Amino acid sequence: MYCKNCGKEVEDGKEYCADCEPKEEVVVEETKVEEVVEPVETEVKVEEEKVEVKTEAKTENTTTTNTTSAELKSKMAAGLLGIFLGQFGVHNFYLGYTSKAIIQVSVSAVGYLLSICTFGLSCLAPLGISVWGLIEGIMILAGSIDKDGKGNPLKD
């Protein structure tokens, strides 16, 4: 078991370590309230900082150890999706970059609708998004883009 305040190891059945164990005999008088409050606040802040640091360390370990081969995305699949279907953002949906993928789909759809309405005169937006997808597909295959949306590495 671990101390609720600082995270040190404690004996079974105890909630706090010897340093953090609350004192049962707390006497607060009106004249001494100001003297007692300041040191207690300082101690709490220091202990909270210690807890936050340990929490961050646990979070980092959790994210790095949770990656299994079943969760890893294929670099080849993502690159080919980018080259052939990049203007629709399919490779970004696959990798977990959904906001970028939605932008690609939206601009392509609006560009095609405008192109139909103007008899092909405004086809620059879909063409630009196609080039963007092609470049991202090549970058994925070349290894410049090597992580998915969650930060996991792409498998070869």
Side-chain angles (χ1 to χ4, degrees):
M1 296 190 69
Y2 296 98
C3 177
K4 286 185 175 183
N5 284 338
C6 65
K8 290 182 185 176
E9 231 177 279
V10 296
E11 297 175 12
D12 289 338
K14 290 192 174 185
E15 295 180 5
Y16 300 99
C17 67
D19 297 331
C20 299
E21 192 170 280
K23 311 281 190 275
E24 291 184 24
E25 296 181 33
V26 177
V27 178
V28 179
E29 295 179 11
E30 290 181 21
T31 56
K32 294 184 179 183
V33 169
E34 293 178 9
E35 294 174 15
V36 173
V37 171
E38 261 182 74
V40 171
E41 286 181 8
T42 305
E43 286 180 29
V44 171
K45 288 180 183 177
V46 171
E47 290 171 3
E48 285 177 2
E49 289 175 3
K50 288 180 186 176
V51 172
E52 287 177 16
V53 170
K54 290 184 180 188
T55 303
E56 289 175 7
K58 288 178 184 175
T59 303
E60 289 175 12
N61 290 341
T62 303
T63 55
T64 54
T65 56
N66 278 349
T67 56
T68 61
S69 60
E71 293 178 10
L72 298 180
K73 306 288 184 177
S74 169
K75 182 192 295 188
M76 182 66 70
L80 292 175
L81 286 171
I83 290 172
F84 293 112
L85 299 171
Q87 80 179 69
F88 303 112
V90 175
H91 62 295
N92 284 317
F93 279 118
Y94 175 71
L95 291 177
Y97 298 112
T98 52
S99 56
K100 191 181 351 176
I102 289 171
I103 291 170
Q104 287 176 319
V105 169
S106 301
V107 172
S108 291
V110 169
Y112 280 121
L113 288 174
L114 287 175
S115 181
I116 291 169
C117 293
T118 60
F119 303 107
L121 295 176
S122 61
C123 63
L124 291 178
L127 182 65
I129 299 297
S130 296
V131 171
W132 179 13
L134 175 70
I135 290 172
E136 279 190 337
I138 293 169
M139 288 175 66
I140 292 169
L141 291 175
S144 296
I145 299 173
D146 59 349
K147 294 188 188 306
D148 66 2
K150 294 180 182 176
N152 298 326
L154 299 177
K155 67 178 178 180
D156 290 330

